[in-house]
Structure formats: structure tokens, C-alpha cells
Coordinates of all heavy atoms in Angstrom, one line a residue:
A134 N 11.4 19.7 16.4 CA 11.5 18.6 17.4 C 11.1 17.3 16.7 O 10.2 17.3 16.0 CB 10.5 19.0 18.6
E135 N 11.8 16.3 17.0 CA 11.6 15.0 16.5 C 11.5 14.0 17.7 O 12.4 14.0 18.6 CB 12.5 14.6 15.5 CG 12.5 15.4 14.3 CD 13.3 14.7 13.1 OE1 13.7 13.5 13.2 OE2 13.5 15.5 12.1
A136 N 10.5 13.1 17.7 CA 10.3 12.2 18.7 C 10.3 10.7 18.1 O 9.9 10.4 17.0 CB 9.0 12.2 19.5
S137 N 11.0 9.8 18.7 CA 11.2 8.5 18.2 C 9.9 7.7 17.8 O 9.0 7.8 18.6 CB 12.0 7.6 19.1 OG 11.5 7.6 20.4
S138 N 9.9 7.2 16.6 CA 8.7 6.5 16.1 C 8.9 5.0 16.2 O 10.0 4.6 16.5 CB 8.3 6.9 14.7 OG 9.3 6.3 13.8
N139 N 8.0 4.2 15.8 CA 8.1 2.8 15.7 C 9.2 2.4 14.8 O 9.7 1.3 15.0 CB 6.8 2.1 15.3 CG 5.9 2.2 16.5 OD1 6.2 2.3 17.6 ND2 4.4 2.0 16.1
A140 N 9.5 3.2 13.8 CA 10.6 2.8 12.9 C 12.0 2.7 13.5 O 12.8 2.0 12.9 CB 10.6 3.8 11.7
V141 N 12.2 3.4 14.5 CA 13.5 3.4 15.2 C 13.5 2.9 16.7 O 14.5 2.6 17.3 CB 14.0 4.9 15.3 CG1 14.2 5.3 13.9 CG2 13.1 5.8 16.0
L142 N 12.2 2.7 17.2 CA 12.1 2.1 18.6 C 12.3 0.6 18.5 O 12.0 -0.1 17.6 CB 10.8 2.5 19.2 CG 10.6 3.9 19.5 CD1 9.1 4.1 19.9 CD2 11.4 4.3 20.7
G143 N 13.0 0.0 19.6 CA 13.1 -1.3 19.9 C 11.7 -2.0 20.1 O 10.8 -1.4 20.3
E144 N 11.8 -3.3 20.1 CA 10.5 -4.0 20.2 C 9.7 -3.8 21.5 O 8.6 -3.7 21.5 CB 10.9 -5.6 20.2 CG 9.6 -6.5 20.2 CD 10.1 -7.9 20.1 OE1 11.2 -8.3 19.8 OE2 9.2 -8.8 20.2
D145 N 10.5 -3.6 22.6 CA 9.9 -3.3 24.0 C 9.3 -2.0 24.1 O 8.5 -1.7 25.1 CB 10.9 -3.5 25.0 CG 11.4 -5.0 25.2 OD1 10.7 -5.9 24.7 OD2 12.5 -5.1 25.6
Y146 N 9.5 -1.0 23.1 CA 9.1 0.3 23.2 C 8.1 0.7 22.1 O 7.8 1.9 22.0 CB 10.2 1.3 23.2 CG 11.3 1.0 24.2 CD1 12.5 0.3 24.0 CD2 11.1 1.4 25.5 CE1 13.4 0.0 24.9 CE2 12.0 1.1 26.5 CZ 13.1 0.4 26.3 OH 14.0 0.2 27.2
Q147 N 7.6 -0.3 21.3 CA 6.7 0.1 20.2 C 5.4 0.7 20.7 O 5.0 0.4 21.6 CB 6.4 -1.2 19.5 CG 7.6 -1.7 18.7 CD 7.8 -0.9 17.5 OE1 7.0 -0.7 16.5 NE2 9.1 -0.4 17.4
L148 N 5.0 1.7 19.9 CA 3.8 2.6 20.2 C 2.5 1.8 19.7 O 2.6 1.5 18.5 CB 3.9 4.0 19.9 CG 5.2 4.7 20.4 CD1 5.2 6.2 19.8 CD2 5.2 4.7 21.9
G149 N 1.5 1.8 20.4 CA 0.3 1.3 20.0 C -0.6 2.3 19.5 O -0.3 3.5 19.6
P150 N -1.8 2.0 18.9 CA -2.7 3.0 18.3 C -3.2 4.1 19.4 O -3.2 5.3 18.9 CB -4.0 2.1 17.9 CG -3.4 0.8 17.6 CD -2.2 0.6 18.7
D151 N -3.4 3.7 20.6 CA -3.8 4.8 21.5 C -2.6 5.6 21.8 O -2.9 6.8 22.0 CB -4.2 3.9 22.9 CG -5.5 3.1 22.7 OD1 -6.2 3.5 21.8 OD2 -5.8 2.4 23.6
Q152 N -1.4 5.1 22.0 CA -0.3 6.1 22.2 C -0.1 7.0 21.0 O 0.3 8.2 21.2 CB 0.9 5.2 22.5 CG 0.8 4.3 23.8 CD 2.0 3.5 24.0 OE1 2.2 2.6 23.1 NE2 2.7 3.5 25.0
L153 N -0.1 6.5 19.8 CA 0.0 7.3 18.6 C -1.0 8.4 18.6 O -0.8 9.6 18.1 CB 0.0 6.5 17.4 CG 1.2 5.5 17.2 CD1 1.0 4.6 16.0 CD2 2.4 6.4 17.0
D154 N -2.3 8.1 19.0 CA -3.3 9.0 19.1 C -3.0 10.2 20.1 O -3.3 11.4 19.7 CB -4.7 8.4 19.5 CG -5.2 7.6 18.4 OD1 -4.9 7.8 17.3 OD2 -6.2 6.7 18.7
V155 N -2.4 9.8 21.2 CA -2.0 10.8 22.2 C -1.0 11.7 21.5 O -1.0 12.9 21.7 CB -1.5 10.2 23.5 CG1 -0.9 11.2 24.4 CG2 -2.5 9.4 24.2
M156 N 0.0 11.2 20.9 CA 1.0 12.0 20.3 C 0.4 13.0 19.2 O 0.9 14.1 19.2 CB 2.0 11.1 19.6 CG 2.9 10.2 20.5 SD 4.0 11.2 21.5 CE 5.4 11.6 20.2
E157 N -0.6 12.6 18.4 CA -1.2 13.4 17.5 C -2.0 14.4 18.3 O -1.8 15.7 17.8 CB -2.2 12.5 16.8 CG -2.9 13.4 15.6 CD -3.8 12.6 14.7 OE1 -3.9 11.3 15.0 OE2 -4.5 13.2 13.8
R158 N -2.6 14.2 19.3 CA -3.3 15.3 20.1 C -2.3 16.3 20.7 O -2.6 17.4 20.9 CB -4.2 14.7 21.2 CG -5.4 13.9 20.7 CD -6.4 13.7 21.7 NE -5.9 12.8 22.9 CZ -6.0 11.5 22.9 NH1 -6.6 10.9 21.9 NH2 -5.5 10.8 23.9
L159 N -1.1 15.8 21.0 CA 0.0 16.7 21.5 C 0.5 17.6 20.5 O 1.3 18.6 20.7 CB 1.0 15.9 22.2 CG 0.7 15.3 23.5 CD1 1.8 14.3 23.9 CD2 0.5 16.3 24.6
G160 N 0.2 17.3 19.1 CA 0.7 18.1 18.0 C 1.7 17.5 17.2 O 2.4 18.2 16.3
W161 N 2.1 16.2 17.5 CA 3.2 15.6 16.8 C 2.7 15.1 15.4 O 1.5 14.5 15.4 CB 3.8 14.4 17.5 CG 4.5 14.8 18.8 CD1 4.0 14.9 20.1 CD2 5.8 15.2 18.9 NE1 4.9 15.3 21.0 CE2 6.0 15.5 20.3 CE3 6.9 15.3 18.1 CZ2 7.3 16.0 20.8 CZ3 8.2 15.8 18.5 CH2 8.3 16.1 19.8
H162 N 3.4 15.2 14.3 CA 3.0 14.8 13.0 C 3.6 13.4 12.7 O 4.8 13.1 13.2 CB 3.5 15.7 12.0 CG 2.9 17.1 12.1 ND1 1.6 17.3 12.0 CD2 3.5 18.3 12.5 CE1 1.3 18.6 12.2 NE2 2.5 19.2 12.4
A163 N 3.1 12.6 11.9 CA 3.6 11.3 11.5 C 4.8 11.5 10.6 O 5.1 12.5 10.0 CB 2.5 10.6 10.7
P164 N 5.7 10.5 10.7 CA 7.0 10.4 9.8 C 6.6 10.8 8.4 O 5.4 10.5 7.9 CB 7.4 9.0 10.0 CG 7.0 8.6 11.3 CD 5.5 9.1 11.4
T165 N 7.5 11.3 7.6 CA 7.2 11.7 6.3 C 8.5 11.6 5.4 O 9.6 11.8 5.9 CB 6.8 13.2 6.1 OG1 6.5 13.5 4.8 CG2 7.7 14.1 6.8
V166 N 8.3 11.4 4.1 CA 9.4 11.2 3.1 C 9.4 12.5 2.3 O 10.2 12.6 1.4 CB 9.3 10.0 2.4 CG1 9.4 8.8 3.2 CG2 7.9 9.9 1.6
D167 N 8.3 13.4 2.5 CA 8.2 14.7 1.6 C 8.8 15.7 2.4 O 9.1 15.7 3.6 CB 6.8 14.7 1.2 CG 6.1 13.6 0.5 OD1 6.9 13.0 -0.3 OD2 5.1 13.2 0.8
G168 N 8.8 16.9 1.6 CA 9.3 18.2 2.2 C 10.7 18.3 2.2 O 11.6 17.5 1.8
D169 N 11.2 19.4 3.0 CA 12.5 19.8 3.1 C 13.3 18.9 4.1 O 14.4 18.8 4.1 CB 12.7 21.2 3.5 CG 12.2 22.2 2.4 OD1 12.3 21.8 1.3 OD2 11.8 23.2 2.6
H170 N 12.5 18.2 5.1 CA 13.0 17.5 6.1 C 12.4 16.2 6.4 O 11.7 16.0 7.3 CB 13.0 18.3 7.5 CG 13.6 19.7 7.5 ND1 14.9 19.9 7.5 CD2 13.0 21.0 7.3 CE1 15.1 21.2 7.4 NE2 14.0 21.9 7.3
P171 N 12.6 15.3 5.4 CA 12.0 13.9 5.5 C 12.7 13.3 6.8 O 13.8 13.4 7.1 CB 12.4 13.2 4.2 CG 13.6 14.0 3.8 CD 13.4 15.4 4.1
T172 N 11.8 12.6 7.4 CA 12.2 11.9 8.7 C 11.4 10.7 8.9 O 10.2 10.5 8.6 CB 12.1 12.8 9.9 OG1 12.5 12.1 11.0 CG2 10.7 13.4 10.1
A173 N 12.1 9.7 9.6 CA 11.3 8.4 10.1 C 10.7 8.6 11.5 O 10.1 7.8 12.0 CB 12.3 7.3 10.1
N174 N 10.9 9.8 12.1 CA 10.4 10.1 13.4 C 9.1 10.9 13.4 O 8.8 11.5 12.4 CB 11.5 10.9 14.2 CG 12.7 10.1 14.4 OD1 12.6 8.9 14.7 ND2 13.9 10.7 14.2
L175 N 8.5 10.9 14.5 CA 7.3 11.9 14.7 C 8.0 13.2 14.8 O 9.1 13.4 15.3 CB 6.5 11.5 15.9 CG 5.9 10.1 16.0 CD1 5.6 9.7 17.3 CD2 4.6 10.1 15.1

């Protein structure tokens, strides 16, 4: 599963630190350029 990150979200939908913390607690990982599936999304 991939969820839109600040790299792809419009200005009105940018996520702040508190929202990113919630995403992390839910189990979402930060965007990555490594591994078999690099992605700009959570």
C-alpha cells in the first residue's frame, strides 16, 4: 500500500509533523529510494 506524501500532494494538502507522526504510528514508512520498490510515497 502507498499513501500520498508531501512530494506528490498539492500545497493545500501538505502534511505537518503531527500528521506524519500519526502516519508512522499507523505503520506507514517514509518514502525511500532504496530497495526493490523505491517510491516518493509513504
Side-chain angles (χ1 to χ4, degrees):
E135 296 194 10
S137 49
S138 71
N139 286 337
V141 297
L142 288 170
E144 183 178 351
D145 295 336
Y146 302 101
Q147 290 288 298
L148 304 179
D151 292 342
Q152 292 170 303
L153 292 172
D154 286 343
V155 173
M156 291 294 280
E157 183 178 356
R158 289 197 297 271
L159 287 169
W161 296 96
H162 300 293
T165 179
V166 295
D167 301 320
D169 296 332
H170 303 283
T172 178
N174 296 315
L175 300 158

